[in-house]
Each structure stands twice: as C-alpha cells, then as structure tokens.
Amino acid sequence: MKRTIFSFLACTFLLAASFCLQAQENVLYKITNKGVVKYSILDGKQESLNVIKPILIFKTRYEMDTEEGYSRFSVKNARLGVQGDLSKMLSYKFMVDFSAENKLSVLDLYAVLKPSKRLSFTLGQQGLSLFNSWAVSPNSVDYVNRPFIGKYFISSRDIGLSMKYALKNQGFPINAELGVYNGTGINNPTWNKSVAVGGRLEFGSTKKGFRTSAKFYNLKNADGFTDTYWGADVRYAGSDFKIEAEYMTKELNDRNPGALNAAYIQGMYKIKVNDPSISRIEPVLRWDGMGYDITDRGLGVNRITVGANLVFKTTSFTNMLRINYEHYFNNSMDLSALFKTPIYNSDKLSLEYLLYF
C-alpha cells in the first residue's frame, strides 16, 4: 500500500513540476480554482488547457436498520486524484480510493488519445461502457445507495483498450464505443487465454435533453463459462429535473441459478431555496428490482427509495446532505449469493454527507 501511495504522489508531483517549471515562449501556467491552467498563444489566438485538475470525493454516512435496530457509521468513499488535458490530442486521469473495504484501491489510471474530433482511444484501467455514471459514480448518483444494477452485476472497471467514435457530433449526437479488457475486474491484471469485449451505441447527450443507449459485455470467467451482459437505458434531463430508467441482464448460459435481471426507474427535481447557505433541495424517488429469470420466477427483491438532497451554496466545490429511506419488498427467492447479510435487504434510514470537487 505504501508503495502505491508513494507512486501516486510521485506521479502527481512530477506532473505539476514539469508543467509549472517549463519556460516556453508565449506559454503561461497559472494556478486557479480549476487547478493548473496552461495559456498559450497560437496564430494570434489565446488557447487554454486545464492540465492539472484535482479530484476529491468524500462520502460519510450513518445508517439504521429500521427492522432490527442495528446502526453504523461509515466512510464510503475517500477518493483523491488528478485529471487534465496535456494537449488537444492527449488527456489523462489518475484516481485512488483510500476507503475501499478498508484498503487503498487504484480506480482510474488511463490516458486518452484523440487523433481527431470524432475519434478517441482510452488505454489503461477505466470504467466499462456497460455502466452509466449515475448508477455507479458516488458524485453522480443522486441517492445514498447505488441501484442494484450498479452494485451486484460486475466490477464497473477493468484494464484494457477502448475506442469511441462520434457517428454524428452535431445537433443530436450519436456515439459508438467498443473495448477489449482483461475481463478480471479492477486491479487484477491476470494472464488469460481470452479477452472480454464490450460496447455501447449511444443516442443523445448525457448533459441535457433525451438520451438512450444499448450496450453489451461478454467474457469467459475463471470457471471457463461465458457470461454475457446486455442492457439498455433511457434518460431525459431538463433544467430542473431528470428521469432515468435502465434494464440489464446477465446470462449465465444454462447454469443455475439462471439469468440475473435488474431494472430501475428514478427521478430527481431541483427546488431553488432563498437562503444564504442553502442553494436548493432535491427530492428524489426510485424503484428498482432484481431477481433470477424474472419473467418466469418474478422479482427476488425490489425496493422503493424516497429522500431529499440538501445542496449548500458553494463556488468551486459541491457539498450536500442526503437523507434516504429504503423500503424493501422481498419474496422467497434465495439471493444470499448477492446479499452478504440479511441487513443488506432490510429497510433502512440513511443520512449521508458528500463533498466533491
């Protein structure tokens, strides 16, 4: 662990030193609230690149099992990293988590090559295109807990090479992604006779308006069996609200207990508040369910999550308080392979603090 921390800090220091100590004509580096910004004059025009942008994500929470009365405090995320653009054709991102199951975990560690405006290649440990950020990323999820899709299917990151191509980048964008990976998950670069393959076809923008995508991921696991993942999602984001829905299946190829299926629909609304310290209140509501072969056997578990996010007024960073109540509806299907203890699918009241920039 000490070697990993030292390597990460050394890389960060060398990046900062190499950028800030350069003395080039018509090039200026400034430290701003966005990090280290490079200003250059090219053909009489000033251009800027955010070459070093710090990342901090901190989440801590209190949870209470309202059925049995158990409770706990925990630090769910303590992530630190840097990202930036070294040029118009090259960017990078490094990020580690100091609280991943009581150990340090390297999360993002990749470079992005952009030979053209339409085409980019990502090399290193990266997020799989199978997942959306609002289902797996702690600073993008609007709830205390991720939906079942983001937690119980597969590791959301792997080491490999992916390509993204903009089939249409004007008006209503259309993007295609394809990647090859080890297929062994995060921080696990083992030797394999086969690679995992994943891809996505995406219509629309993730920032505003309508967006939908279809995706797949195929791998041969350690037991020699092939697992195939399929999914589709739809999203609409307005200026004050958004609604998202997604379905995913994990085909186990005739092995017991059958295909794992999950789905969710969730929404969030922004209410501005006239207060010197509070920016807005965000009521949230979500339904999600999961089970094996749900068309034949029904849902193994489903829940309703209701809550609100209290967003404080800040400038260069975001901090908020979240309160969620989760009510579970369970049937007799055995999901012990997914839920480590019965508390995992018990009704809960949660209070969480989130800070990120």
Side-chain angles (χ1 to χ4, degrees):
M1 179 186 296
K2 291 182 179 179
R3 185 170 62 182
T4 305
I5 296 173
F6 176 78
S7 300
F8 174 78
L9 294 176
C11 289
T12 303
F13 174 77
L14 289 173
L15 276 170
S18 63
F19 293 132
C20 295
L21 295 179
Q22 288 186 63
Q24 301 179 26
E25 189 177 359
N26 298 327
V27 174
L28 178 66
Y29 292 91
K30 288 186 177 181
I31 299 177
T32 71
N33 59 1
K34 296 181 180 180
V36 178
V37 180
K38 173 186 175 182
Y39 296 92
S40 59
I41 299 177
L42 210 62
D43 297 329
K45 296 181 180 180
Q46 179 173 292
E47 297 182 349
S48 64
L49 288 174
N50 202 168
V51 293
I52 301 179
K53 180 181 178 182
I55 304 168
L56 172 65
I57 303 173
F58 175 72
K59 285 178 66 172
T60 184
R61 71 176 63 158
Y62 170 77
E63 301 167 281
M64 182 175 66
D65 174 2
T66 59
E67 296 183 41
E68 300 294 336
Y70 294 100
S71 64
R72 68 174 181 176
F73 290 94
S74 62
V75 174
K76 298 301 294 184
N77 299 109
R79 299 184 176 184
L80 184 64
V82 289
Q83 63 182 1
D85 298 309
L86 303 183
S87 70
K88 290 183 178 181
M89 297 181 60
L90 177 62
S91 61
Y92 69 94
K93 184 177 181 181
F94 308 146
M95 185 165 64
V96 297
D97 196 328
F98 293 89
S99 65
E101 298 182 351
N102 298 319
K103 62 182 180 181
L104 184 144
S105 178
V106 179
L107 300 178
D108 295 315
L109 202 63
Y110 62 79
V112 181
L113 306 177
K114 296 168 278 190
S116 71
K117 291 183 178 180
R118 289 177 177 264
L119 180 64
S120 66
F121 296 92
T122 302
L123 306 91
Q125 183 158 285
Q126 58 193 282
L128 299 178
S129 58
L130 187 67
F131 294 100
N132 297 309
S133 61
W134 54 87
V136 294
S137 299
N139 57 312
S140 298
V141 176
D142 294 317
Y143 299 78
V144 170
N145 286 309
R146 294 168 288 173
F148 295 138
I149 283 176
K151 188 172 184 178
Y152 293 107
F153 272 69
I154 193 176
S155 173
S156 61
R157 289 176 173 85
D158 206 334
I159 303 173
L161 166 66
S162 64
M163 176 193 72
K164 185 172 183 178
Y165 183 76
L167 299 171
K168 183 175 180 290
N169 55 9
Q170 299 293 329
F172 188 73
I174 303 174
N175 296 294
E177 297 179 47
L178 184 65
V180 290
Y181 313 91
N182 286 333
T184 49
I186 189 171
N187 303 331
N188 190 23
T190 60
W191 292 94
N192 308 293
K193 290 186 177 181
S194 61
V195 296
V197 180
R200 181 206 300 259
L201 188 60
E202 178 183 280
F203 302 86
S205 170
T206 59
K207 295 181 179 180
K208 195 172 182 180
F210 176 79
R211 184 258 193 193
T212 186
S213 77
K215 55 270 186 92
F216 79 95
Y217 187 72
N218 190 81
L219 68 90
K220 183 173 287 188
N221 60 37
D223 298 326
F225 293 102
T226 300
D227 294 338
T228 304
Y229 300 77
W230 298 93
D233 58 77
V234 61
R235 182 178 198 252
Y236 185 84
S239 57
D240 295 322
F241 74 97
K242 57 184 173 182
I243 185 168
E244 301 149 348
E246 186 171 358
Y247 171 83
M248 189 177 293
T249 182
K250 175 183 179 180
E251 296 180 0
L252 300 177
N253 299 303
D254 299 324
R255 285 176 290 142
N256 288 326
L260 179 64
N261 315 107
Y264 69 83
I265 181 169
Q266 62 186 28
M268 183 269 285
Y269 188 77
K270 299 178 182 178
I271 302 174
K272 294 183 179 180
V273 177
N274 186 17
D275 186 90
S277 58
I278 301 173
S279 174
R280 63 183 183 271
I281 298 175
E282 300 174 344
V284 295
L285 179 64
R286 177 177 69 199
W287 170 90
D288 61 335
M290 179 174 60
Y292 293 105
D293 293 328
I294 60 174
T295 55
D296 299 323
R297 303 166 63 185
L299 289 169
V301 62
N302 67 106
R303 66 181 171 184
I304 294 288
T305 303
V306 60
N309 304 326
L310 191 65
V311 183
F312 299 105
K313 283 185 177 177
T314 51
T315 53
S316 58
F317 63 95
T318 299
N319 66 333
M320 67 177 71
L321 281 175
R322 291 172 171 165
I323 182 169
N324 279 188
Y325 176 72
E326 298 175 344
H327 180 73
Y328 282 77
F329 304 89
N330 303 299
N331 67 11
S332 58
M333 187 185 297
D334 181 15
L335 294 177
S336 59
L338 300 175
F339 298 116
K340 297 178 182 178
T341 70
I343 293 180
Y344 275 68
N345 57 324
S346 297
D347 297 347
K348 294 182 190 68
L349 181 66
S350 303
L351 180 66
E352 179 179 80
Y353 173 73
L354 169 64
L355 164 69
Y356 73 90
F357 66 80

